[in-house]
Structure formats: structure tokens, C-alpha cells
Amino acid sequence: MKKLSITSALILSLISTGALATEEATSVGSPGDPGKVSRTIEITMVENRFKPSEIKVKQGETIKFMLKNAGKKKHEMMIGTPEEIDKHGKMMKKFPDKEHPDEPNMITINPGETGELVWHFTEAGAVNFACPMPGHFKGMNFSGMKGTIDVEAK
Ligand SMILES: [Cu+2]
């Protein structure tokens, strides 16, 4: 009996290790060619989260994210490393009223509106995204308006 519980504890720890095995991708990818979209994924934005926030794609896929802002505030989706997202968030906090043009890895969407972001996933691993608007996102290690794209190896 004792032996059995040790075995099940070992199995449980192996399972939980497996669940945490997704390492950060070596590259978050690159802007996608709208003519080479392999799949469309719909994401709804509300205060303050993405639905869904856990997304699975395959390495090499070009995904068209169809974003709908169903909230009452302006939201952004930014794909990047936690450092890049954090840096952009700090810039927005410092200059909250400064209009900034969207870069290829981000899109700003007004309440009630929709938008598209096309992204090519080149490396396997976890790719982060978040809304860097002040107050929506509290750093990659905290709760907030963020999500993970799990890129499965080819
Ligand atoms: Cu937001």
C-alpha cells in the first residue's frame, strides 16, 4: 500500500511537470502575410481579459486573429516577449494620452469594434500576448489582461 502511494505520487509529479514543460519560444515569430493565413482564431476582449486566453497553434502556421472588443474601454493585443510587453506597458503608463501607431505585433481596438492581427509562428514553445494599456496588465507574472499561445512543434 505504501509502495503504491509512492508510485502515484511520482506519477502525479510527472504529470504536473509535463503541464509546466512548455518553455518560452526562442522567437515569438514574425508579422504574417495576410495572403498565407492557415487559420482564423477569434478572440473577444472585455475588462480586463481575453476570451480565450489559452490558445494552441502549430509551428509554421500563420494565424489571423479576429479580435472583437466587447468591453467599454479601448484594448490592445500585443504579441511579444514579457520584456517587450512590459516595456510597452511602461511607455503607455508614462504617456497615457499619447497616440502611438500600432506596430506589426500589436493592434488597438476601440469598444464595439473589431480588428485583425496576422502573425506567423516560427518557433515552438510558449508565446505571450497581453493588453499593455495602463491598469489592464500587471506584469507577465501577475494576473491581468494576458494570455499564452502554445506553439506545438512540427
Ligand atoms: Cu485592455
Side-chain angles (χ1 to χ4, degrees):
M1 194 60 192
K2 199 178 179 191
K3 197 178 177 187
L4 190 70
S5 62
I6 291 170
T7 310
S8 42
L10 185 67
I11 290 168
L12 276 176
S13 71
L14 283 175
I15 292 168
S16 49
T17 310
L20 297 168
T22 309
E23 283 178 25
E24 219 173 287
T26 48
S27 161
V28 297
S30 53
D33 178 349
K36 289 179 181 165
V37 171
S38 35
R39 213 148 53 89
T40 300
I41 294 176
E42 290 179 22
I43 300 179
T44 303
M45 305 153 119
V46 292
E47 286 83 40
N48 276 331
R49 62 195 180 99
F50 292 100
K51 296 192 290 190
S53 61
E54 302 288 325
I55 293 159
K56 281 189 191 303
V57 305
K58 288 188 178 71
Q59 188 180 7
E61 274 192 312
T62 295
I63 304 292
K64 186 205 274 183
F65 292 101
M66 291 277 292
L67 294 136
K68 181 171 174 40
N69 186 348
K72 293 185 175 66
K73 293 177 184 169
K74 195 192 263 189
H75 291 292
E76 264 185 33
M77 179 186 183
M78 177 180 180
I79 296 174
T81 64
E83 294 75 24
E84 285 168 341
I85 295 168
D86 202 41
K87 194 177 163 199
H88 189 74
K90 280 179 180 147
M91 189 273 287
M92 289 189 82
K93 206 171 180 176
K94 215 168 168 182
F95 308 104
D97 301 320
K98 186 177 169 249
E99 288 289 328
H100 59 279
D102 285 331
E103 286 175 43
N105 64 332
M106 65 181 78
I107 184 161
T108 309
I109 302 170
N110 286 316
E113 294 185 0
T114 55
E116 292 175 11
L117 184 63
V118 181
W119 199 254
H120 183 212
F121 293 92
T122 53
E123 302 295 329
V127 172
N128 294 288
F129 66 98
C131 173
M133 309 279 298
H136 298 200
F137 156 76
K138 299 168 187 79
M140 292 315 296
N141 298 320
F142 301 95
S143 62
M145 197 167 171
K146 66 184 180 78
T148 310
I149 301 156
D150 192 0
V151 187
E152 192 189 315
K154 248 194 284 201

